[in-house]
Amino acid sequence: MSILNSMKQKLHPLGIYSLSDTSTITAELTAYSVALDEIEAQLQELEQERFLATAQTYGITMRELTIGPEQKYEQLEKRRNTLLHRSAINETDFNKKAIESLLKTEGINGYIIEVPEKNTIYINCLSLDVRGSNNDAKKEAISQFLPAHLESVFDFRNLQWQAIDAKAYTFDSMDAKNLTWDDIANYKEIV
């Protein structure tokens, strides 16, 4: 029922107003209903954007700005699912499987290496799926959900065997560099 019809229906039982389509009261109620229809539309949009499950525009963006990096170039459903995942934290979300799942929702293909004797986890980030993202933004977003009692070391180098084999280094060429184990661990190739 429209707002105009609702107002007419409520005034009709009083019997003191002429509610015909050409009456002055109907014209006044019509003017009120135009403004009230606009307010009702705004309230419906506000209610829709208030809940993550129904948000379509600014409701998603505002949550991204609050919880983590805005992903305005991604599809709406992927943005919504990422926010739902990041907002649904429980006591089982701090194990290796849950952290690797978090990496995937943030667009990182990688894996975790646990080093309990050093209270450290190494996060090997092999590649980024999200367009326009950078390493520091990803580290910051993920760090919010990592266990605070563990040191987290992010590694964005691609050290897979396929990448190493593709370089076709021999033992002699590597030995000629005279690198220590620490030098090798921190080795950054000049391309």
Side-chain angles (χ1 to χ4, degrees):
M1 175 182 296
S2 72
I3 290 178
L4 176 60
N5 289 336
S6 176
M7 288 188 292
K8 280 183 164 183
Q9 185 181 23
K10 288 176 177 71
L11 291 174
H12 186 288
L14 297 175
I16 58 175
Y17 298 106
S18 170
L19 299 172
S20 67
D21 289 342
T22 58
S23 72
T24 308
I25 293 297
T26 300
E28 186 176 349
L29 292 176
T30 302
Y32 292 151
S33 72
V34 170
L36 291 173
D37 284 338
E38 180 64 31
I39 292 170
E40 182 181 39
Q42 289 175 358
L43 288 173
Q44 286 176 349
E45 179 187 12
L46 183 63
E47 183 176 13
Q48 176 185 342
E49 295 299 321
R50 178 179 175 210
F51 298 103
L52 188 54
T54 57
Q56 299 293 316
T57 56
Y58 66 85
I60 298 281
T61 301
M62 296 304 287
R63 280 181 182 79
E64 286 177 338
L65 293 174
T66 302
I67 294 175
E70 184 180 6
Q71 298 180 17
K72 59 186 171 187
Y73 300 112
E74 290 297 329
Q75 296 292 327
L76 179 65
E77 282 307 309
K78 182 173 184 336
R79 294 171 71 188
R80 177 178 288 127
N81 289 337
T82 298
L83 288 168
L84 285 169
H85 180 79
R86 295 186 75 198
S87 299
I89 298 172
N90 62 47
E91 65 275 0
T92 62
D93 282 346
F94 300 106
N95 57 32
K96 182 177 179 180
K97 182 178 175 184
I99 295 171
E100 286 176 344
S101 175
L102 174 65
L103 291 175
K104 287 179 185 163
T105 64
E106 290 297 326
I108 293 178
N109 297 318
Y111 59 90
I112 305 262
I113 300 171
E114 298 173 295
V115 185
E117 62 274 5
K118 292 184 178 180
N119 289 331
T120 301
I121 56 174
Y122 290 96
I123 302 172
N124 192 342
C125 308
L126 301 175
S127 65
L128 300 178
D129 286 343
V130 179
R131 291 170 278 164
S133 62
N134 64 49
N135 297 351
D136 291 334
K138 290 296 172 189
K139 283 169 59 173
E140 184 178 329
I142 293 169
S143 293
Q144 295 176 23
F145 296 95
L146 295 176
H149 67 288
L150 297 177
E151 179 183 359
S152 302
V153 177
F154 289 84
D155 187 355
F156 288 94
R157 297 175 296 169
N158 188 353
L159 292 177
Q160 295 182 16
W161 280 113
Q162 295 89 349
I164 294 169
D165 286 342
K167 303 234 182 256
Y169 291 142
T170 65
F171 283 108
D172 290 336
S173 67
M174 289 303 292
D175 283 343
K177 295 182 187 288
N178 293 323
L179 301 173
T180 66
W181 285 111
D182 287 336
D183 292 337
I184 293 170
N186 298 318
Y187 185 72
K188 296 212 188 298
E189 185 174 25
I190 299 173
V191 182

